[in-house]
Amino acid sequence: TISLAGPESRNLLAKLCPGQDFDGDLFPFMSAINVPVAGVPARVCRISFSGELCYEVNVNANYGRYVWDSCISTGQAFGITPYGTEAMHVLRAEKGFVIVGQDTDGSVTPQDLGMDWICAKNKDFIGKRSLFRSDTRRDDRKQLVGLRTESPTEVLPEGAQLTQNPEGSMPIPMIGHVTSSYYSAFLGYSIALALIKSGRDKLGEIVHAPLASGRIVKAQITSPMFYDSSGERQNV
């Protein structure tokens, strides 16, 4: 799978697939098509884990290197550059996109993530009953939020525990933890995703992360979407 992401990705793909129209109205977000890419049979999906206009090109592994080289050589005219998973992690976190197993565990529901829209309301599905149990409908469940550290360059450790008040007798009650944390070069400050009890009701509040070094880092609870919250860039 080769991900072609960015504002020039449509133009690049058109060069690699002569005769195929990738106009946004004809090939909208979340659609897929079987079409040769650089002459190789491929399935192209218009999906995005970077938040940018993006196409994922899927080919037989035996053709992977050839199609990759074709993308790089053809993309020179558009200023192409390779990017890997570390860059992708930062891009997806800027958008508030979760990684299942990192920003979630077996107790987290779509509702906790602010993704109630992903669950069908008019049909049955495996696991639907669980969403209506008293425990999964509690108001104080941990919910996905964003964090901005008081110091823009301070990156919170992933897994750091969070508390509302760092003072008082031990043990100090913890209200959540950091699930993902990065420095965003584009935004110019540190960003993090966290699961915090009743987090969506605490937007704007300050939380504290007591570190093993003895330091306590302050951070403000924000929306988990730090950039392009309307999704305009992936829907152009």
Side-chain angles (χ1 to χ4, degrees), residues 5-7 48-53 87-97 145-148 183-193 222-236:
S48 178
F49 198 48
S50 63
E52 297 291 316
L53 174 65
M88 182 189 71
H89 278 303
V90 179
L91 293 172
R92 65 92 192 173
E94 290 172 347
K95 291 282 294 180
F97 292 165
V145 294
L147 294 176
R148 283 189 61 175
Y183 178 77
S184 169
F186 179 81
L187 296 174
Y189 52 80
S190 156
I191 62 173
L193 299 176
T222 70
S223 163
M225 294 177 284
F226 297 93
Y227 175 67
D228 186 36
S229 58
S230 67
E232 180 180 349
R233 294 186 67 87
Q234 73 183 19
N235 290 312
V236 293

Side-chain angles (χ1 to χ4, degrees), residues 114-153:
M115 295 176 65
D116 180 64
W117 54 268
I118 208 170
C119 298
K121 305 299 187 296
N122 57 356
K123 63 181 179 181
D124 200 11
F125 54 87
I126 295 175
K128 183 175 183 178
R129 183 183 63 170
S130 299
L131 301 180
F132 293 92
R133 297 182 62 184
S134 58
D135 182 66
T136 51
R137 297 176 72 86
R138 293 193 338 261
D139 293 332
D140 64 344
R141 286 182 61 83
K142 288 184 179 181
Q143 298 171 337
L144 184 75
V145 294
L147 294 176
R148 283 189 61 175
T149 51
E150 187 176 58
S151 171
T153 58

Side-chain angles (χ1 to χ4, degrees), residues 2-80:
I2 299 167
S3 174
L4 300 177
E8 295 288 357
S9 56
R10 179 181 287 126
N11 295 329
L12 170 55
L13 194 59
K15 288 280 189 181
L16 293 166
C17 308
Q20 180 65 45
D21 193 343
F22 291 102
D23 179 85
D25 292 331
L26 299 176
F27 194 48
F29 185 62
M30 294 295 285
S31 58
I33 190 173
N34 293 324
V35 60
V37 176
V40 174
R43 175 169 294 163
V44 177
C45 304
R46 188 178 163 193
I47 53 180
S48 178
F49 198 48
S50 63
E52 297 291 316
L53 174 65
C54 180
Y55 302 88
E56 292 195 358
V57 179
N58 300 272
V59 296
N60 183 291
N62 293 327
Y63 295 102
R65 179 59 186 267
Y66 170 76
V67 175
W68 170 268
D69 288 341
S70 298
C71 290
I72 294 297
S73 59
T74 305
Q76 294 303 310
F78 304 103
I80 197 171

Side-chain angles (χ1 to χ4, degrees), residues 156-177:
L156 286 164
E158 293 182 349
Q161 297 295 301
L162 301 169
T163 181
Q164 282 186 305
N165 183 2
E167 306 297 333
S169 59
M170 302 292 282
I172 299 172
M174 298 296 164
I175 62 170
H177 66 282

